[in-house]
Amino acid sequence: MERVRKVYARGRVMRRPTFTLEADLALEEPGIVGVVGPNGAGKTTLFEMMTGSNAPTSGRVLVAGTDIHRVKYRERDRLAIHYHQSYQVRRFHKRVPSIFLAPSPTLAPMVHLFDEPQFNLQDGYIGFMLDFFRKLRQEGRLVVLCMHPTAAWHLDILAEIAGQFLFVADGGVARKPDFGSLVAEPRFRSYLGPEMTRAAEGICRRGSAGKFDA
């Protein structure tokens, strides 16, 4: 994401910005990245820009070296695919006719973005899902997992599966190299609240690797 900026504005004559999100970062290796942040911070907007459905106001989103917003609309999921909850599906205006856009350079998505997936608590299901994420990583894919932690086991999932984290808040995206660094972020602690922060600190002390084996 090269100096990506998304601005939503209101007003027909005097346009007043109501929301701004900025990101300038590169995820250059296959891996699993956890994404967290308060409701309304822009996590889904970030995912939409990364998968080419929501055009940034400025900047570029490159997937496999290709600007995804210059790829034919129906082929963008061959670069990056967004698995999202049905109520989050939105339609966007297509600014450029597809005939003027380039084909995707890849046949299968290099980036898989999971937007707050519903983890079933039945025996083995979480382990099955985490093994699926690891399989994608082993195949050279980038997995981006967005979660809104409301229970301690959600934090366990993030700590176990993600190699690094993105914290979306205050109009920006902060990169954290590990779970401990994420928990040390004051804004993340404020977002979690005292009880969940204590749970996160406990996970840091004891670790959670292997807790959700299939």
Side-chain angles (χ1 to χ4, degrees):
M1 304 189 79
E2 292 184 347
R3 298 180 182 179
V4 168
R5 190 168 189 258
K6 181 67 181 182
V7 180
Y8 290 107
R10 180 177 299 170
R12 292 186 178 181
V13 180
M14 299 293 293
R15 299 285 288 172
R16 300 189 306 274
T18 58
F19 175 82
T20 300
L21 179 66
E22 297 181 345
D24 188 21
L25 58 93
L27 302 169
E28 298 175 343
E29 301 291 339
I32 302 173
V33 180
V35 176
V36 290
N39 286 330
K43 300 185 297 297
T44 295
T45 295
L46 180 72
F47 275 27
E48 289 169 343
M49 289 192 293
M50 292 173 72
T51 52
S53 65
N54 189 349
T57 305
S58 59
R60 297 194 305 167
V61 179
L62 303 178
V63 182
T66 298
D67 186 340
I68 194 168
H69 291 274
R70 294 184 179 274
V71 169
K72 293 180 182 297
Y73 300 106
R74 292 185 177 180
E75 297 186 16
R76 291 179 183 180
D77 61 3
R78 298 181 186 179
L79 282 169
I81 187 167
H82 184 180
Y83 307 92
H84 42 135
Q85 297 178 8
S86 60
Y87 68 83
Q88 292 176 323
V89 176
R90 298 187 284 180
R91 294 185 179 275
F92 296 94
H93 178 65
K94 297 178 179 179
R95 300 179 180 179
V96 180
S98 193
I99 193 173
F100 296 118
L101 298 173
S104 170
T106 59
L107 296 177
M110 302 301 296
V111 182
H112 296 254
L113 301 103
F114 296 85
D115 199 345
E116 297 192 20
Q118 299 297 309
F119 286 101
N120 193 315
L121 289 176
Q122 71 184 40
D123 289 347
Y125 182 82
I126 294 177
F128 169 80
M129 288 297 296
L130 299 191
D131 283 347
F132 174 59
F133 298 155
R134 294 185 183 105
K135 182 176 183 292
L136 289 172
R137 179 186 60 194
Q138 291 166 1
E139 292 174 349
R141 306 308 201 250
L142 177 66
V143 176
V144 187
L145 172 64
C146 176
M147 291 189 67
H148 179 58
T150 57
W153 62 270
H154 295 159
L155 295 170
D156 276 310
I157 288 175
L158 286 169
E160 177 168 337
I161 196 63
Q164 59 178 302
F165 296 86
L166 301 178
F167 182 60
V168 183
D170 302 320
V173 181
R175 191 171 183 172
K176 302 296 179 181
D178 51 47
F179 188 72
S181 300
L182 178 67
V183 175
E185 164 65 59
R187 294 177 300 168
F188 180 65
R189 299 166 70 88
S190 177
Y191 156 61
L192 286 182
E195 183 177 349
M196 289 287 285
T197 295
R198 287 193 292 271
E201 291 172 338
I203 292 169
C204 289
R205 288 193 296 269
R206 71 175 184 271
S208 63
K211 183 171 183 177
F212 297 105
D213 288 339

